[in-house]
PDB file of all heavy atoms in Angstrom:
ATOM      1  N   ASP T 509       5.335  -1.122 -34.104  1.00 97.00           N
ATOM      2  CA  ASP T 509       5.044   0.179 -33.481  1.00 97.00           C
ATOM      3  C   ASP T 509       3.539   0.269 -33.238  1.00 97.00           C
ATOM      4  O   ASP T 509       2.767   0.399 -34.187  1.00 97.00           O
ATOM      5  CB  ASP T 509       5.521   1.287 -34.428  1.00 97.00           C
ATOM      6  CG  ASP T 509       5.269   2.684 -33.894  1.00 97.00           C
ATOM      7  OD1 ASP T 509       4.855   2.816 -32.733  1.00 97.00           O
ATOM      8  OD2 ASP T 509       5.481   3.652 -34.655  1.00 97.00           O
ATOM      9  N   ASP T 511       2.291   2.595 -31.104  1.00 93.00           N
ATOM     10  CA  ASP T 511       2.016   3.955 -30.628  1.00 93.00           C
ATOM     11  C   ASP T 511       1.195   4.632 -31.724  1.00 93.00           C
ATOM     12  O   ASP T 511       1.724   5.307 -32.604  1.00 93.00           O
ATOM     13  CB  ASP T 511       3.318   4.700 -30.360  1.00 93.00           C
ATOM     14  CG  ASP T 511       3.107   5.986 -29.574  1.00 93.00           C
ATOM     15  OD1 ASP T 511       1.949   6.445 -29.512  1.00 93.00           O
ATOM     16  OD2 ASP T 511       4.076   6.531 -29.032  1.00 93.00           O
ATOM     17  N   ILE T 512      -0.114   4.417 -31.675  1.00 90.00           N
ATOM     18  CA  ILE T 512      -0.998   4.794 -32.776  1.00 90.00           C
ATOM     19  C   ILE T 512      -1.022   6.307 -33.003  1.00 90.00           C
ATOM     20  O   ILE T 512      -1.031   6.772 -34.147  1.00 90.00           O
ATOM     21  CB  ILE T 512      -2.440   4.281 -32.516  1.00 90.00           C
ATOM     22  CG1 ILE T 512      -2.428   2.776 -32.200  1.00 90.00           C
ATOM     23  CG2 ILE T 512      -3.336   4.580 -33.700  1.00 90.00           C
ATOM     24  CD1 ILE T 512      -1.847   1.911 -33.279  1.00 90.00           C
ATOM     25  N   PRO T 515       3.417   7.725 -33.893  1.00 93.00           N
ATOM     26  CA  PRO T 515       4.324   6.718 -34.469  1.00 93.00           C
ATOM     27  C   PRO T 515       5.651   7.323 -34.937  1.00 93.00           C
ATOM     28  O   PRO T 515       5.748   7.854 -36.036  1.00 93.00           O
ATOM     29  CB  PRO T 515       3.518   6.177 -35.658  1.00 93.00           C
ATOM     30  CG  PRO T 515       2.634   7.323 -36.071  1.00 93.00           C
ATOM     31  CD  PRO T 515       2.318   8.080 -34.824  1.00 93.00           C
ATOM     32  N   SER T 516       6.687   7.207 -34.112  1.00 94.00           N
ATOM     33  CA  SER T 516       7.989   7.795 -34.462  1.00 94.00           C
ATOM     34  C   SER T 516       8.982   6.763 -34.985  1.00 94.00           C
ATOM     35  O   SER T 516      10.070   7.124 -35.432  1.00 94.00           O
ATOM     36  CB  SER T 516       8.584   8.497 -33.236  1.00 94.00           C
ATOM     37  OG  SER T 516       8.603   7.637 -32.119  1.00 94.00           O
ATOM     38  N   PRO T 518       9.043   4.876 -37.771  1.00 96.00           N
ATOM     39  CA  PRO T 518       9.501   5.002 -39.167  1.00 96.00           C
ATOM     40  C   PRO T 518      10.669   5.969 -39.335  1.00 96.00           C
ATOM     41  O   PRO T 518      11.617   5.680 -40.071  1.00 96.00           O
ATOM     42  CB  PRO T 518       8.244   5.496 -39.897  1.00 96.00           C
ATOM     43  CG  PRO T 518       7.115   4.889 -39.122  1.00 96.00           C
ATOM     44  CD  PRO T 518       7.563   4.979 -37.684  1.00 96.00           C
ATOM     45  N   LEU T 523      12.847   5.116 -42.378  1.00 96.00           N
ATOM     46  CA  LEU T 523      11.859   4.557 -43.310  1.00 96.00           C
ATOM     47  C   LEU T 523      10.714   5.517 -43.620  1.00 96.00           C
ATOM     48  O   LEU T 523       9.652   5.093 -44.081  1.00 96.00           O
ATOM     49  CB  LEU T 523      11.274   3.262 -42.727  1.00 96.00           C
ATOM     50  CG  LEU T 523      12.265   2.126 -42.486  1.00 96.00           C
ATOM     51  CD1 LEU T 523      11.584   0.968 -41.759  1.00 96.00           C
ATOM     52  CD2 LEU T 523      12.869   1.649 -43.804  1.00 96.00           C
ATOM     53  N   GLU T 524      10.898   6.795 -43.385  1.00 93.00           N
ATOM     54  CA  GLU T 524       9.842   7.765 -43.686  1.00 93.00           C
ATOM     55  C   GLU T 524       9.480   7.718 -45.171  1.00 93.00           C
ATOM     56  O   GLU T 524      10.345   7.601 -46.037  1.00 93.00           O
ATOM     57  CB  GLU T 524      10.304   9.173 -43.317  1.00 93.00           C
ATOM     58  CG  GLU T 524      10.249   9.469 -41.826  1.00 93.00           C
ATOM     59  CD  GLU T 524      10.595  10.905 -41.524  1.00 93.00           C
ATOM     60  OE1 GLU T 524      11.718  11.317 -41.852  1.00 93.00           O
ATOM     61  OE2 GLU T 524       9.747  11.611 -40.975  1.00 93.00           O
ATOM     62  N   GLY T 525       8.177   7.800 -45.446  1.00 91.00           N
ATOM     63  CA  GLY T 525       7.719   7.809 -46.832  1.00 91.00           C
ATOM     64  C   GLY T 525       7.472   6.426 -47.411  1.00 91.00           C
ATOM     65  O   GLY T 525       6.970   6.303 -48.532  1.00 91.00           O
ATOM     66  N   GLN T 526       7.812   5.375 -46.647  1.00 93.00           N
ATOM     67  CA  GLN T 526       7.587   4.014 -47.131  1.00 93.00           C
ATOM     68  C   GLN T 526       6.116   3.623 -46.953  1.00 93.00           C
ATOM     69  O   GLN T 526       5.400   4.198 -46.134  1.00 93.00           O
ATOM     70  CB  GLN T 526       8.471   3.023 -46.369  1.00 93.00           C
ATOM     71  CG  GLN T 526       9.962   3.273 -46.544  1.00 93.00           C
ATOM     72  CD  GLN T 526      10.424   3.006 -47.967  1.00 93.00           C
ATOM     73  OE1 GLN T 526      10.003   2.048 -48.595  1.00 93.00           O
ATOM     74  NE2 GLN T 526      11.280   3.879 -48.484  1.00 93.00           N
ATOM     75  N   ILE T 528       3.117   0.240 -46.877  1.00 91.00           N
ATOM     76  CA  ILE T 528       2.900  -1.187 -46.641  1.00 91.00           C
ATOM     77  C   ILE T 528       2.379  -1.835 -47.921  1.00 91.00           C
ATOM     78  O   ILE T 528       1.537  -1.273 -48.620  1.00 91.00           O
ATOM     79  CB  ILE T 528       1.879  -1.394 -45.501  1.00 91.00           C
ATOM     80  CG1 ILE T 528       2.427  -0.836 -44.190  1.00 91.00           C
ATOM     81  CG2 ILE T 528       1.522  -2.871 -45.347  1.00 91.00           C
ATOM     82  CD1 ILE T 528       1.414  -0.792 -43.077  1.00 91.00           C
ATOM     83  N   MET T 547       6.755  -2.571 -38.792  1.00 97.00           N
ATOM     84  CA  MET T 547       5.355  -2.281 -39.090  1.00 97.00           C
ATOM     85  C   MET T 547       4.887  -1.152 -38.183  1.00 97.00           C
ATOM     86  O   MET T 547       5.135  -1.164 -36.972  1.00 97.00           O
ATOM     87  CB  MET T 547       4.492  -3.526 -38.875  1.00 97.00           C
ATOM     88  CG  MET T 547       3.019  -3.313 -39.178  1.00 97.00           C
ATOM     89  SD  MET T 547       2.684  -2.707 -40.857  1.00 97.00           S
ATOM     90  CE  MET T 547       3.205  -4.121 -41.835  1.00 97.00           C
ATOM     91  N   SER T 548       4.209  -0.167 -38.775  1.00 96.00           N
ATOM     92  CA  SER T 548       3.748   0.999 -38.025  1.00 96.00           C
ATOM     93  C   SER T 548       2.580   1.633 -38.758  1.00 96.00           C
ATOM     94  O   SER T 548       2.509   1.592 -39.997  1.00 96.00           O
ATOM     95  CB  SER T 548       4.884   2.026 -37.880  1.00 96.00           C
ATOM     96  OG  SER T 548       4.398   3.251 -37.354  1.00 96.00           O
ATOM     97  N   ILE T 549       1.680   2.240 -38.003  1.00 93.00           N
ATOM     98  CA  ILE T 549       0.603   2.989 -38.634  1.00 93.00           C
ATOM     99  C   ILE T 549       1.148   4.204 -39.374  1.00 93.00           C
ATOM    100  O   ILE T 549       0.495   4.756 -40.257  1.00 93.00           O
ATOM    101  CB  ILE T 549      -0.463   3.420 -37.595  1.00 93.00           C
ATOM    102  CG1 ILE T 549      -1.753   3.837 -38.310  1.00 93.00           C
ATOM    103  CG2 ILE T 549       0.069   4.531 -36.703  1.00 93.00           C
ATOM    104  CD1 ILE T 549      -2.908   4.128 -37.390  1.00 93.00           C
ATOM    105  N   GLY T 550       2.394   4.595 -39.026  1.00 93.00           N
ATOM    106  CA  GLY T 550       3.023   5.718 -39.729  1.00 93.00           C
ATOM    107  C   GLY T 550       3.160   5.472 -41.220  1.00 93.00           C
ATOM    108  O   GLY T 550       3.198   6.420 -42.019  1.00 93.00           O
ATOM    109  N   PHE T 551       3.215   4.201 -41.636  1.00 94.00           N
ATOM    110  CA  PHE T 551       3.305   3.866 -43.059  1.00 94.00           C
ATOM    111  C   PHE T 551       1.959   4.022 -43.768  1.00 94.00           C
ATOM    112  O   PHE T 551       1.902   3.983 -44.992  1.00 94.00           O
ATOM    113  CB  PHE T 551       3.791   2.419 -43.239  1.00 94.00           C
ATOM    114  CG  PHE T 551       5.158   2.157 -42.674  1.00 94.00           C
ATOM    115  CD1 PHE T 551       5.397   1.006 -41.931  1.00 94.00           C
ATOM    116  CD2 PHE T 551       6.206   3.043 -42.881  1.00 94.00           C
ATOM    117  CE1 PHE T 551       6.654   0.746 -41.409  1.00 94.00           C
ATOM    118  CE2 PHE T 551       7.462   2.797 -42.353  1.00 94.00           C
ATOM    119  CZ  PHE T 551       7.687   1.640 -41.615  1.00 94.00           C
ATOM    120  N   MET T 552       0.881   4.162 -42.989  1.00 91.00           N
ATOM    121  CA  MET T 552      -0.464   4.221 -43.568  1.00 91.00           C
ATOM    122  C   MET T 552      -1.009   5.637 -43.685  1.00 91.00           C
ATOM    123  O   MET T 552      -2.056   5.846 -44.289  1.00 91.00           O
ATOM    124  CB  MET T 552      -1.428   3.390 -42.706  1.00 91.00           C
ATOM    125  CG  MET T 552      -1.041   1.945 -42.549  1.00 91.00           C
ATOM    126  SD  MET T 552      -2.218   1.100 -41.458  1.00 91.00           S
ATOM    127  CE  MET T 552      -1.580  -0.575 -41.520  1.00 91.00           C
ATOM    128  N   LEU T 553      -0.342   6.592 -43.056  1.00 87.00           N
ATOM    129  CA  LEU T 553      -0.854   7.962 -43.050  1.00 87.00           C
ATOM    130  C   LEU T 553      -0.602   8.645 -44.389  1.00 87.00           C
ATOM    131  O   LEU T 553       0.484   8.527 -44.952  1.00 87.00           O
ATOM    132  CB  LEU T 553      -0.199   8.763 -41.923  1.00 87.00           C
ATOM    133  CG  LEU T 553      -0.386   8.213 -40.502  1.00 87.00           C
ATOM    134  CD1 LEU T 553       0.333   9.103 -39.490  1.00 87.00           C
ATOM    135  CD2 LEU T 553      -1.860   8.106 -40.164  1.00 87.00           C
ATOM    136  N   PRO T 554      -1.594   9.377 -44.904  1.00 81.00           N
ATOM    137  CA  PRO T 554      -1.412  10.066 -46.190  1.00 81.00           C
ATOM    138  C   PRO T 554      -0.365  11.168 -46.136  1.00 81.00           C
ATOM    139  O   PRO T 554       0.225  11.532 -47.146  1.00 81.00           O
ATOM    140  CB  PRO T 554      -2.806  10.631 -46.488  1.00 81.00           C
ATOM    141  CG  PRO T 554      -3.477  10.725 -45.144  1.00 81.00           C
ATOM    142  CD  PRO T 554      -2.931   9.586 -44.347  1.00 81.00           C
ATOM    143  N   HIS T 555      -0.139  11.701 -44.934  1.00 82.00           N
ATOM    144  CA  HIS T 555       0.843  12.781 -44.744  1.00 82.00           C
ATOM    145  C   HIS T 555       1.455  12.613 -43.362  1.00 82.00           C
ATOM    146  O   HIS T 555       0.741  12.289 -42.403  1.00 82.00           O
ATOM    147  CB  HIS T 555       0.159  14.150 -44.878  1.00 82.00           C
ATOM    148  CG  HIS T 555       1.123  15.298 -44.931  1.00 82.00           C
ATOM    149  ND1 HIS T 555       1.639  15.881 -43.790  1.00 82.00           N
ATOM    150  CD2 HIS T 555       1.688  15.953 -45.978  1.00 82.00           C
ATOM    151  CE1 HIS T 555       2.467  16.854 -44.126  1.00 82.00           C
ATOM    152  NE2 HIS T 555       2.513  16.914 -45.450  1.00 82.00           N
ATOM    153  N   PRO T 556       2.766  12.836 -43.208  1.00 79.00           N
ATOM    154  CA  PRO T 556       3.397  12.637 -41.890  1.00 79.00           C
ATOM    155  C   PRO T 556       2.839  13.531 -40.794  1.00 79.00           C
ATOM    156  O   PRO T 556       2.976  13.213 -39.610  1.00 79.00           O
ATOM    157  CB  PRO T 556       4.881  12.947 -42.156  1.00 79.00           C
ATOM    158  CG  PRO T 556       4.922  13.683 -43.461  1.00 79.00           C
ATOM    159  CD  PRO T 556       3.756  13.190 -44.244  1.00 79.00           C
ATOM    160  N   VAL T 560      -3.835  11.232 -35.838  1.00 85.00           N
ATOM    161  CA  VAL T 560      -4.682  10.051 -35.675  1.00 85.00           C
ATOM    162  C   VAL T 560      -5.581  10.307 -34.470  1.00 85.00           C
ATOM    163  O   VAL T 560      -5.115  10.337 -33.337  1.00 85.00           O
ATOM    164  CB  VAL T 560      -3.836   8.781 -35.461  1.00 85.00           C
ATOM    165  CG1 VAL T 560      -4.747   7.571 -35.258  1.00 85.00           C
ATOM    166  CG2 VAL T 560      -2.905   8.554 -36.637  1.00 85.00           C
ATOM    167  N   PHE T 574      -2.592  -5.726 -36.908  1.00 95.00           N
ATOM    168  CA  PHE T 574      -1.140  -5.869 -37.021  1.00 95.00           C
ATOM    169  C   PHE T 574      -0.708  -7.285 -36.623  1.00 95.00           C
ATOM    170  O   PHE T 574       0.170  -7.879 -37.247  1.00 95.00           O
ATOM    171  CB  PHE T 574      -0.427  -4.861 -36.127  1.00 95.00           C
ATOM    172  CG  PHE T 574      -0.355  -3.461 -36.685  1.00 95.00           C
ATOM    173  CD1 PHE T 574      -0.255  -2.359 -35.836  1.00 95.00           C
ATOM    174  CD2 PHE T 574      -0.366  -3.229 -38.049  1.00 95.00           C
ATOM    175  CE1 PHE T 574      -0.172  -1.076 -36.333  1.00 95.00           C
ATOM    176  CE2 PHE T 574      -0.293  -1.939 -38.559  1.00 95.00           C
ATOM    177  CZ  PHE T 574      -0.201  -0.865 -37.704  1.00 95.00           C
TER     178      PHE T 574
END
Side-chain angles (χ1 to χ4, degrees):
D509 180 7
D511 193 344
I512 308 301
S516 52
L523 298 173
E524 282 185 300
Q526 298 293 319
I528 297 171
M547 181 56 66
S548 170
I549 196 173
F551 299 136
M552 302 178 177
L553 302 179
H555 190 276
V560 179
F574 281 154

